[in-house]
Amino acid sequence: MEIINRKQRMASIARKLRRESKTVGFVPTMGALHGGHVALVKEARRMSDIVIASIFVNPAQFGANEDFELYPRDLTADAAMLAEYDVDYVFAPDTEEIYGPGFSTHVYVEGLSETLEGASRPGHFRGVATVVTILLNTVRPDLAFFGSKDAQQVGVVKRLVQDLGFETEVVVVPTVREESGLAMSSRNAYLSEEEREKASVIYLALRDAKIAFKEGQRNAAKIAQIVEDRIAAEPLARIDYVAVVSNDTLEPIDKIDDKEVLVAVAVRFGKVRLIDNLVLNRKQ
Ligand code: PAF
């Protein structure tokens, strides 16, 4: 496994791989790797000849009061994990390599960036869309792997891939959960032992919603209420939002028909903000 810091070198290796007709799978990350990332890498390994992962804590997707400075960074441990799962190249640029002097071009996906996470974290998806565009443009992968825990990010990335004409297929990998049901996330490391245990209420609430849906509940507000009630009963939890929206447009819905519906939640435990979701009527 080779670790690459320069964009030019990454792009030149990627060009060579394309000339050799290798299928390139790309796993973009911000490091602090966990089981969710392992699932992305394993899927990439299964579907591609060559696997490239990136590690870049992207300042542009953090708000002024967010945890950019504190975000866990451990390139040695992350690289060891990626080597263990047979990654071929790790692209680990520093901030100046991505955002060089005079950098002033941004990518903004209108319509999908303003709601849910976008409403709570203004500018977040502009930062995500910009860095993903730079990374895809550098690596030009055949396949790029994203986790379904970040459902809105998946929507934003799929849109930009289509709109900007990248020849990359976005592969969405199911959320990996701890035994308690808590979705794996780099931010779980900030939770106290008690918070980590109680945070499984998010999963339990989504499971309640799924059961209600299976039993015939089709009223979106009632599904949202079921999730809210369960989470609100946990004294350590502070709900940021519970939303029942179209999985396609992220617009709120009233009645659930046969289209995919996203039940999305963001909940704070102490200083840690966790997100999770459930898709009803999933098509595949
Ligand atoms: O999901 C993440 O880790 C990040 O948002 C991503 C896609 C690597 C962009 O910085």
Side-chain angles (χ1 to χ4, degrees):
M1 187 179 85
E2 185 184 344
I3 300 180
I4 296 160
N5 304 117
R6 296 274 174 235
K7 217 161 58 168
Q8 282 227 344
R9 169 139 180 86
M10 185 71 260
S12 127
I13 289 173
R15 261 194 311 275
K16 177 169 167 285
L17 294 168
R18 276 197 300 283
R19 275 198 308 273
E20 292 168 355
S21 301
K22 303 277 195 220
T23 302
V24 173
F26 177 53
V27 181
T29 82
M30 297 207 300
L33 304 178
H34 52 70
H37 298 107
V38 171
L40 299 179
V41 168
K42 280 187 172 166
E43 194 59 359
R45 188 68 281 165
R46 197 180 67 77
M47 295 178 72
S48 337
D49 299 322
I50 299 292
V51 177
I52 303 175
S54 64
I55 298 179
F56 178 64
V57 185
N58 174 30
Q61 68 189 74
F62 288 78
N65 301 320
E66 293 182 359
D67 55 350
F68 173 67
E69 301 296 343
L70 290 176
Y71 199 82
R73 291 162 173 87
D74 188 346
L75 182 58
T76 311
D78 288 342
M81 189 189 236
L82 294 172
E84 191 185 329
Y85 290 96
D86 261 350
V87 166
D88 297 286
Y89 298 95
V90 177
F91 180 42
D94 64 16
T95 304
E96 290 66 40
E97 187 65 14
I98 296 295
Y99 301 113
F103 186 94
S104 53
T105 303
H106 294 91
V107 178
Y108 185 74
V109 178
E110 285 177 6
L112 295 176
S113 299
E114 298 82 9
T115 57
L116 309 175
E117 286 304 281
S120 297
R121 307 180 63 191
H124 172 67
F125 287 114
R126 184 175 103 136
V128 170
T130 301
V131 81
V132 168
T133 301
I134 295 168
L135 293 169
L136 291 182
N137 196 36
T138 305
V139 177
R140 304 278 181 116
D142 299 286
L143 307 161
F145 296 80
F146 292 84
S148 62
K149 181 174 73 67
D150 298 302
Q152 190 172 7
Q153 171 168 281
V154 166
V156 165
V157 169
K158 280 187 170 168
R159 187 76 253 166
L160 83 81
V161 161
Q162 188 170 335
D163 291 354
L164 301 182
F166 282 108
E167 290 176 345
T168 297
E169 184 191 329
V170 174
V171 181
V172 184
V173 176
T175 301
V176 180
R177 298 182 180 281
E178 296 186 356
E179 219 175 298
S180 67
L182 176 65
M184 287 199 184
S185 160
S186 304
R187 291 190 169 96
N188 291 356
Y190 303 144
L191 295 166
S192 69
E193 214 173 298
E194 189 189 9
E195 287 166 345
R196 199 174 183 126
E197 188 198 320
K198 304 290 187 197
S200 63
V201 72
I202 301 172
Y203 167 71
L204 299 174
L206 291 171
R207 202 181 58 177
D208 287 352
K210 192 173 186 175
I211 292 169
F213 174 75
K214 277 196 173 148
E215 288 174 356
Q217 183 57 264
R218 292 293 181 271
N219 183 310
K222 291 213 165 113
I223 294 280
Q225 198 61 54
I226 288 168
V227 176
E228 272 191 55
D229 288 349
R230 180 74 182 235
I231 298 174
E234 169 46 59
L236 291 186
R238 272 181 301 127
I239 296 176
D240 185 348
Y241 62 78
V242 173
V244 180
V245 297
S246 152
N247 196 34
D248 193 25
T249 63
L250 302 184
E251 277 170 16
I253 53 163
D254 295 329
K255 276 256 159 281
I256 302 174
D257 54 19
D258 58 352
K259 296 195 197 71
E260 286 191 356
V261 167
L262 178 72
V263 183
V265 302
V267 182
R268 283 179 199 280
F269 281 80
K271 287 199 168 72
V272 189
R273 190 168 171 284
L274 301 173
I275 59 170
D276 202 347
N277 66 76
L278 158 77
V279 175
L280 301 173
N281 285 326
R282 190 175 286 285
K283 296 289 178 247
Q284 38 118 357

